[in-house]
Amino acid sequence: MRLLLAAALSLLLAAPAAGAQTAAEIVARYGRVVDPDGRAAALVGVKSTGTFAMPAQGIQATIVSMQARPHRMATVITVPGLGEMRQGFDGTTAWANDPLQGPRIMMPAEAAGVRDGSDFRTITRDAALFTALELVGEAELDGERCHRVRHTWASGRVTTDCYSVATGLMIESQDVQESPQGKIAITVRISDYRAVGGVLMPHRMVSQMMGATQEITLTEVTAGALDAALFELPPAIKALRDR
Amino acid sequence: MLAASAPAALGAQDAPPRASFDSAWAAVSRSYWDTSFVAGPWRAVHDSLRATLAPDADAPAVRAAIRALIAVPRQSHFVLLPALAVPTAGASAAAGEPGSARLELRAIGDEIVVWRVEADGPAARADLRAGDVVLVADTLDVDEARATLRDAMVAERAAEGAAAEPVDAAARLGRLLVPLVTARLAGPAGAAVRLTVARDGAVLERTVTRAPLMGLRTQYGNLPPFAVRVSSRRVRDIAIVRFNAWFPVATPALDSALFAARDARGLVIDLRGNPGGVVGMIAGVAGHLLDSVVALGEMRARGSTLRFSANPRVVDAAGAARGTFRGPVAVLVDAGSASTSEFFASGLQAIGRARVFGERSAGQALAALAARLPSGDVLMHVIADHRDPAGRAVEGRGVVPDEFHPLRREDLRAGVDAPLEAALAWIARTAP
C-alpha cells in the first residue's frame, strides 16, 4: 500500500494540475517539447518556403524566409500585382523594402520584433530572452486548453502567448506590432509542428489583423548552412544606414 | 495592403446563393471599424433582411438584400461587384483582349463631355475631340439615363422626407453618369463602338474601333484588372507627373519620374481621374516630397489606428543620395480623383506641403478590402475611417481645392487646361 501511495504521489508530482505550473515552467516545457534532444543549439541556418495568402481578398503569394546565426534573417514575399516585399536583419540593421514604401531602416520599436525573430534562442524560447513571464489565465482555443503567458521580452516587446495544456506547444500568439503606420494588434494561431533538424517548428500560422485573415503555410523547411550573401544589405539600405 | 479604390459602376449579373448574404455579413461584421454601429442598428437591419430572405431566394433577391445591407452605413466603398466584372486569376485571357476607345470623359454639370483624346488613338482617328458632348454611347442614350437617375434621386429623397432635388443635383447626376457612359466605351479590342456627340450645334455620329488597353496591366487580389499609365514631362522647367491609379506596377515609373524631378523648379502631380488603388503607396510617393517621417492622415480601424506616414526617399535603388524634392508642389484633382488620391492630396494640403488646384474631388475616401463571396461576386467593404492631419474627413466632402478651376467646355475646345495653367503660374511665382 505504501508503495502504491508513493507511486500515486509521484504521478501527481509529475503531472501537476494545470494551474499549479508557473509561467516559467510552461515556457521551459515548450523548449523541451520542441527540442527534446537538445539539437536546436546545433542549428546554423533555417530556410522556409511556402505560401502567404489573404483568401478573402484573393491574394496568394509566395514566401521565402531565411534565418542564420548569429542574428540574421531575410524574408521575401512575392505578391502578384504588388511585387516583392522584402525584410531583413544583418545582426545590426533591420530594414524593409517594397514597392509601396520604398527602402527604409526600421525604427527601434519595429526592429525589436525582427531582432527577436532572428534570434535562434526564440526557437526554444530560452529564458534569457525574457525579463518577465506572467501566467495570466487559461483559454480554450478550438477545443484545446492552453495557458496564457504574458512575455516581457528583453527587447521591450510584450506578447501574450498560449501554450497547449496537453502538448506544451504554443498554439497562439497575441502581439501589438510596431510599424511605420503605428501599432497593429495581431493574433496568430500556430499549428502543424514538424521536426526540422530534430527540432519541432510550426508550419502553419493564421493571423487576424484589422479584420483580415492572413495565412502562412510552409511547404518546405530545411536546416543547414546558408550563404552569407543572402543576408547582405541591399545598396539602398546600406546608403540609408551610412547617411 | 489595404486597397482604397473608388467603387466601380457595374451592372448586375448572375445568381449568388443565399450563403453569399451570410458571407457578406460575416465580412462586414468582423471588420467594420465602428463596432457599436455593427452591434446596434446595423445588426437590426441585417436580422430583418435575413428573416425575409427565403432559403431558395433567387439571385436578384439575394443581391438586392446584400445591397440593402451595405447601404446602411451610407458610405462609399461598400460595393457589390458582379462576378463577371472581376475575373479570377487566369480567366481574363479567355475573355479576349480588353480594349479602349482611348478617350476620357468628364461631367460639366449633368452633361458628359470628352475631356481628353489620346493623340493618334482610335477616338482621335474617328474625329472625336475634347469638348464634344456625348449624347449616345453604344446603346446608352445619355438623356434617358439622366432622366432615370434623376427620378431615382427624387424617389430616394422623397423616401427620406427631403426636398425634391438637391441644389447640386446636376453635379451629382454628372458624377453618376460618367462611369456609366465610360463603361459603355469599354469592350474587346478590335470591336467597334458608336458614339453620337454634339459639337458647335451639330450632331455627329462616330464609330470608334477599340484599341488594346494602353498601360501596365495589373490585377491585385479581388480588385478588377486595371491598365496603369504614368507620364512625365517638363513645361517651363516644371515637372508634371500624371498617373491614373495607385497600383504598385506604377512604382518604377513613378520613382523614375519623381527622382528625375529633383532639379525642377516645381512639381505638378496630376491626379485628375485617378480613382485610387493600394493605399500604402502614399508612403513611397509622398516620401519624394518630405525629408522626415510625416503623417498625412490616419485610418481608424478595428483595434488599430494607422497613420499614412511618408517614407523619405533620399536614396535611389542603387544607393545614390538623391535628397528629397524641396520645391513647390501642386496637386491637380477633379471629381474623378477618389480614395487614395484624396488621402494623398488632402494630407499634403493639410500639412502645407502642396497647393491643390482644380475641382472638388469625389469624396470617396475610406479604406476597404475586397472579399469574394460564394457566388463569385466581390464585396468591397469598409474597414477603416479616415481623417487627414487637420482632423477632416474627406468621405462625403471631397478635397476642396485651394484654387478652384471648374471644367469649362470652351477651355476644352480651345485646348486650355485651366487648372494646370494655374498651377504652373503659381509655381513660377513661388519657386526660387
Side-chain angles (χ1 to χ4, degrees):
Chain A
M1 178 61 85
R2 284 176 56 192
L3 283 173
L4 188 61
L5 286 173
L9 181 62
S10 68
L11 284 173
L12 287 172
L13 289 173
Q21 278 186 293
T22 66
E25 288 168 344
I26 291 165
V27 175
R29 181 189 175 205
Y30 172 80
R32 291 193 301 275
V33 168
V34 299
D35 186 23
D37 303 320
R39 294 174 64 181
L43 290 174
V44 294
V46 177
K47 180 178 181 181
S48 306
T49 58
T51 59
F52 170 94
M54 297 179 71
Q57 282 70 52
I59 293 170
Q60 181 80 16
T62 60
I63 182 170
V64 178
S65 183
M66 292 165 290
Q67 183 182 356
R69 287 189 188 275
H71 295 100
R72 291 174 296 171
M73 62 81 69
T75 300
V76 186
I77 300 176
T78 306
V79 186
L82 197 151
E84 289 186 346
M85 308 189 71
R86 293 180 173 270
Q87 270 195 2
F89 183 61
D90 68 347
T92 306
T93 303
W95 58 274
N97 193 1
D98 60 63
L100 305 180
Q101 301 184 71
R104 63 186 180 85
I105 304 281
M106 291 184 189
M107 302 295 280
E110 183 185 10
V114 176
R115 192 166 55 243
D116 287 340
S118 70
D119 192 324
F120 274 71
R121 294 175 298 175
T122 298
I123 294 173
T124 55
R125 302 225 139 187
D126 189 302
L129 291 168
F130 310 106
T131 58
L133 294 169
E134 180 189 359
L135 185 61
V136 294
E138 195 173 292
E140 186 172 312
L141 305 174
D142 293 336
E144 188 168 6
R145 288 171 58 217
C146 59
H147 301 293
R148 282 203 192 283
V149 178
R150 178 182 161 92
H151 303 61
T152 304
W153 296 65
S155 62
R157 297 167 59 232
V158 175
T159 63
T160 302
D161 305 333
C162 217
Y163 296 88
S164 168
V165 172
T167 67
L169 293 170
M170 182 168 61
I171 59 174
E172 186 189 81
S173 179
Q174 296 178 351
D175 194 2
V176 177
Q177 293 188 349
E178 297 282 349
S179 80
Q181 289 76 41
K183 298 177 187 293
I184 301 174
I186 181 168
T187 298
V188 187
R189 296 294 292 274
I190 302 160
S191 62
D192 194 15
Y193 282 82
R194 300 183 203 177
V196 178
V199 181
L200 287 180
M201 296 185 189
H203 282 53
R204 184 163 169 82
M205 283 71 68
V206 179
S207 310
Q208 298 294 331
M209 184 172 68
M210 292 171 51
T213 301
Q214 299 179 348
E215 300 177 356
I216 293 177
T217 304
L218 300 179
T219 52
E220 185 176 18
V221 183
T222 56
L226 295 168
D227 189 340
L230 295 168
F231 303 95
E232 284 187 3
L233 301 181
I237 300 297
K238 280 183 186 170
L240 289 172
R241 179 198 63 187
D242 297 339
R243 286 178 67 223
Chain B
M1 296 185 198
L2 298 180
S5 300
L10 297 158
Q13 309 274 351
D14 52 339
R18 192 173 74 162
S20 288
F21 180 86
D22 296 332
S23 183
W25 174 247
V28 300
S29 63
R30 71 169 173 257
S31 63
Y32 188 68
W33 62 278
D34 186 346
T35 52
S36 61
F37 183 72
V38 170
W42 207 358
R43 172 167 285 283
V45 174
H46 162 267
D47 292 348
S48 171
L49 288 167
R50 185 67 173 75
T52 58
L53 199 57
D56 59 348
D58 62 11
V62 172
R63 199 172 263 144
I66 294 172
R67 289 201 163 110
L69 180 70
I70 62 178
V72 173
R74 302 180 68 84
Q75 290 178 325
S76 70
H77 290 70
F78 276 109
V79 184
L80 186 64
L81 301 172
L84 293 182
V86 188
T88 52
S92 55
E97 176 77 4
S100 161
R102 295 196 180 175
L103 59 72
E104 292 182 64
L105 305 175
R106 288 290 183 275
I108 297 180
D110 60 4
E111 281 190 336
I112 304 305
V113 299
V114 175
W115 181 48
R116 282 178 172 162
V117 179
E118 179 198 324
D120 302 323
R125 288 197 295 274
D127 186 37
L128 286 160
R129 302 176 192 171
D132 289 349
V133 179
V134 180
L135 304 176
V136 180
D138 190 20
T139 57
L140 180 73
D141 184 301
V142 175
D143 281 344
E144 289 178 6
R146 184 186 298 113
T148 301
L149 289 171
R150 180 177 282 116
D151 290 347
M153 180 189 294
V154 170
E156 183 179 309
R157 289 176 63 82
E160 296 170 353
E165 275 195 13
V167 291
D168 62 344
R172 288 194 195 192
L173 288 169
R175 285 197 293 271
L176 292 169
L177 279 168
V178 168
L180 286 178
V181 179
T182 299
R184 291 304 186 106
L185 301 183
V193 59
R194 290 182 63 81
L195 283 112
T196 305
V197 300
R199 181 191 304 161
D200 299 332
V203 174
L204 309 172
E205 296 208 349
R206 297 287 183 263
T207 299
V208 181
T209 302
R210 299 179 182 99
L213 289 178
M214 190 173 59
L216 303 161
R217 301 279 296 281
T218 189
Q219 183 172 6
Y220 177 63
N222 287 330
L223 294 177
F226 214 93
V228 181
R229 300 186 302 277
V230 180
S231 65
S232 62
R233 60 192 172 111
R234 284 207 183 196
V235 174
R236 296 167 228 157
D237 203 25
I238 297 168
I240 303 168
V241 177
R242 178 170 186 245
F243 57 109
N244 68 332
W246 295 79
F247 284 104
V249 69
T251 294
L254 270 176
D255 280 349
S256 175
L258 292 169
F259 278 126
R262 293 293 197 265
D263 64 349
R265 289 184 69 201
L267 173 64
V268 177
I269 298 179
D270 188 348
L271 298 177
R272 290 176 291 178
N274 184 322
V278 180
V279 70
M281 280 183 69
I282 287 178
V285 175
H288 285 278
L289 317 174
L290 297 160
D291 55 13
S292 61
V293 179
V294 176
L296 298 178
E298 66 178 29
M299 283 286 184
R300 184 152 56 111
R302 187 175 291 192
S304 302
T305 297
L306 303 183
R307 299 182 299 270
F308 300 134
S309 297
N311 176 39
R313 306 296 300 278
V314 294
V315 302
D316 62 21
R322 303 299 295 266
T324 53
F325 178 75
R326 293 172 177 273
V329 178
V331 177
L332 309 186
V333 298
D334 65 7
S337 309
S339 203
T340 304
S341 291
E342 296 182 285
F343 301 150
F344 180 83
S346 66
L348 290 179
Q349 183 188 48
I351 65 169
R353 182 63 187 96
R355 188 167 177 82
V356 179
F357 296 78
E359 297 180 293
R360 186 187 289 257
S361 65
Q364 298 174 346
L366 294 167
L369 293 174
R372 193 173 287 275
L373 303 179
S375 61
D377 289 356
V378 168
L379 175 72
M380 282 191 68
H381 59 102
V382 173
I383 63 164
D385 189 32
H386 166 261
R387 292 288 184 275
D388 75 10
R392 302 173 299 191
V394 179
E395 170 73 7
R397 164 184 167 270
V399 179
V400 180
D402 298 294
E403 290 193 24
F404 181 64
H405 294 276
L407 197 61
R408 303 190 314 168
R409 197 155 20 124
E410 54 268 37
D411 286 344
L412 293 175
R413 299 284 289 125
V416 173
D417 188 340
L420 177 61
E421 289 302 326
L424 293 172
W426 171 73
I427 289 172
R429 291 195 306 273
T430 309

